[in-house]
Amino acid sequence: MDVKKRFELVKEVGEEVITDSELLELLNKKKKFVAYDGFEPSGRMHIAQGVLRAVNVNKMIKAGARFKMLVADWHAWANNKFGGDLEKIQVAGKYFIEVWKSCGMDLDNVEFVFANDLVDDPEYWKTVMGVARNNSLKRIIRCSQIMGRKQDDVLSAAQIFYPCMQCADIFYLKADVTQLGMDQRRVNVLAREIGPFLGFWKPVVVSHHMLMGLIEPKTITSDRLERAIELKMSKSNPASAIFMTDSTKEIKEKISKAYCPPRVVEENPILEYCKYIIFERFDKIRIERPSKFGGDIQLEGYHELKNKYERGEIHPLDLKNAVASYIDELIKPVRQHFEKNKKAAQLLAQVSR
């Protein structure tokens, strides 16, 4: 694959890339590059962490990436996930890996690294301290949104370490590219700014789109990043998310209740599922409609769907029924894996308690 095609693939993943010119320079210099992604193990995995992440990781791999996927167990510990029980957090990390085994992620090019293994190395903590020493407390607190916190939240001393550790992870894992959600943007920009001061490099930042939750948006803000964070899928509200082991019945119920106003395509979660998940995994989709409304229709791309929906040619209920069916098809192999694999079933049971 030539550099232009590799560049276009990465751009498909990145809602924002910092910067295009640096990405092109990297791709011209390296056929293979290291991409960093990471996750905080916490509860059951939803579809944005599962299927959507697999889509994005696989595109990056086709473009030449080899992933270092950080299982951020110590970060979750600092963030008081599972009540601060490190052992439960690490079980959740293993559960996440089991999900990706069964949802199509190219694991031959993904190396999972537990933060628990990094912290034994004094060099790691030197980098953490380097980040901390060269930044103000105010700047670090501004990065607190990466762990689902707001700037005015009362943070524990442990949570102050979190952004410093995440920034250090990038350099310790020798990542050329950080590939995380838009909500992680601030710490990735921090890494670009602090890297040269610590004798490192400026990683290219590829920030992917954050899938909307299924419920109707309630708040309004003019800040694009803050708005994206407000709209994103949340585990804390199970009705807003499809989980990777949801039953067919649960998927249908959640989709049927989802926010999907007629003719509205902006901030419509059902349209988002089509754009970012379904049309990434299916070349075309079929929507069943009563004959009096034109009968079944086959769509061969998101833009065709968007245009027809905007014109009112597709009813929200018909679209929801189709989306529920395709999402269920994508989730089915994961459900079966956790039903048939004893180890996976035990991990799910432990995470679900």
Side-chain angles (χ1 to χ4, degrees):
M1 190 180 296
D2 63 29
V3 169
K4 182 181 177 182
K5 288 181 180 178
R6 293 168 65 206
F7 177 79
E8 289 170 352
L9 266 177
V10 176
K11 290 285 285 182
E12 285 181 20
V13 174
E15 187 167 280
E16 178 186 62
V17 174
I18 309 175
T19 65
D20 284 0
S21 60
E22 289 173 291
L23 173 60
L24 272 171
E25 183 181 351
L26 173 67
L27 296 179
N28 274 300
K29 187 165 60 174
K30 294 184 177 182
K31 288 186 178 180
K32 294 290 182 181
F33 59 91
V34 177
Y36 159 83
D37 195 354
F39 64 96
E40 186 182 276
S42 58
R44 291 185 299 150
M45 183 189 288
H46 57 54
I47 198 168
Q49 296 168 310
V51 178
L52 182 56
R53 196 180 220 127
V55 167
N56 288 335
V57 166
N58 289 352
K59 281 186 179 181
M60 294 285 290
I61 288 171
K62 285 182 181 178
R66 177 161 182 83
F67 268 87
K68 296 284 185 76
M69 185 80 79
L70 184 75
V71 185
D73 48 4
W74 272 54
H75 308 62
W77 188 23
N79 206 15
N80 203 38
K81 293 301 171 73
F82 287 102
D85 188 324
L86 182 58
E87 194 170 303
K88 286 184 179 178
I89 291 166
Q90 290 168 340
V91 167
K94 293 173 184 176
Y95 150 75
F96 271 51
I97 295 170
E98 283 297 319
V99 174
W100 286 319
K101 283 181 181 179
S102 53
C103 74
M105 185 181 284
D106 179 5
L107 295 184
D108 289 340
N109 289 286
V110 177
E111 177 187 354
F112 291 101
V113 181
F114 279 76
N116 192 63
D117 296 328
L118 272 55
V119 298
D120 288 337
D121 189 347
E123 290 301 315
Y124 174 75
W125 289 108
K126 280 185 181 180
T127 306
V128 174
M129 285 296 291
V131 174
R133 288 183 63 253
N134 286 277
N135 282 283
S136 68
L137 181 59
K138 184 177 180 180
R139 176 69 186 278
I140 296 301
I141 290 173
R142 283 188 68 239
C143 291
S144 62
Q145 67 180 194
I146 67 173
M147 50 182 164
R149 309 295 173 181
K150 296 180 180 178
Q151 289 187 54
D152 55 357
D153 285 351
V154 176
L155 303 179
S156 69
Q159 287 169 321
I160 300 299
F161 275 99
Y162 193 122
C164 301
M165 290 173 65
Q166 186 167 322
C167 190
D169 299 336
I170 295 164
F171 301 115
Y172 189 84
L173 296 174
K174 297 180 171 54
D176 301 298
V177 174
T178 64
Q179 200 284 287
L180 299 158
M182 285 293 293
D183 58 339
Q184 306 295 303
R185 183 184 189 279
R186 283 181 176 166
V187 79
N188 290 329
V189 170
L190 175 65
R192 284 176 55 82
E193 292 176 4
I194 198 68
F197 285 100
L198 300 180
F200 298 119
W201 55 94
K202 291 170 66 175
V204 174
V205 177
V206 178
S207 301
H208 67 249
H209 176 79
M210 294 185 297
L211 201 66
M212 279 184 68
L214 293 172
I215 59 177
E216 182 178 358
K218 298 295 184 185
T219 57
I220 298 174
T221 177
S222 59
D223 184 274
R224 186 169 72 98
L225 180 56
E226 293 294 336
R227 182 62 172 167
I229 293 170
E230 287 172 1
L231 293 175
K232 78 172 184 174
M233 191 175 292
S234 172
K235 293 180 185 179
S236 60
N237 185 350
S240 79
I242 301 295
F243 292 95
M244 293 299 292
T245 49
D246 275 352
S247 66
T248 300
K249 181 182 177 183
E250 287 171 322
I251 292 169
K252 287 181 177 178
E253 286 178 351
K254 289 179 182 179
I255 295 293
S256 70
K257 296 175 183 177
Y259 177 67
C260 186
R263 297 174 178 260
V264 176
V265 298
E266 297 300 322
E267 296 189 352
N268 182 328
I270 297 301
L271 269 291
E272 285 224 341
Y273 270 46
C274 293
K275 179 178 181 179
Y276 293 101
I277 294 180
I278 294 174
F279 277 114
E280 290 289 350
R281 298 291 292 268
F282 299 94
D283 293 331
K284 52 194 173 186
I285 67 171
R286 188 176 190 83
I287 297 177
E288 296 180 358
R289 301 186 301 180
S291 56
K292 64 180 179 180
F293 296 121
D296 297 355
I297 183 173
Q298 184 168 285
L299 303 166
E300 299 190 0
Y302 175 72
H303 290 294
E304 184 182 6
L305 167 62
K306 177 183 174 183
N307 292 337
K308 288 184 181 297
Y309 191 82
E310 213 163 18
R311 292 196 297 263
E313 296 176 27
I314 298 173
H315 192 277
L317 181 58
D318 296 331
L319 178 60
K320 284 181 176 184
N321 288 337
V323 167
S325 177
Y326 283 102
I327 292 298
D328 185 55
E329 189 172 339
L330 292 173
I331 297 293
K332 187 177 179 180
V334 180
R335 268 201 314 261
Q336 291 177 336
H337 176 69
F338 279 88
E339 288 167 0
K340 296 176 181 178
N341 185 292
K342 187 176 180 180
K343 174 188 170 185
Q346 288 174 341
L347 289 170
L348 176 59
Q350 288 176 276
V351 168
S352 301
R353 285 174 190 164

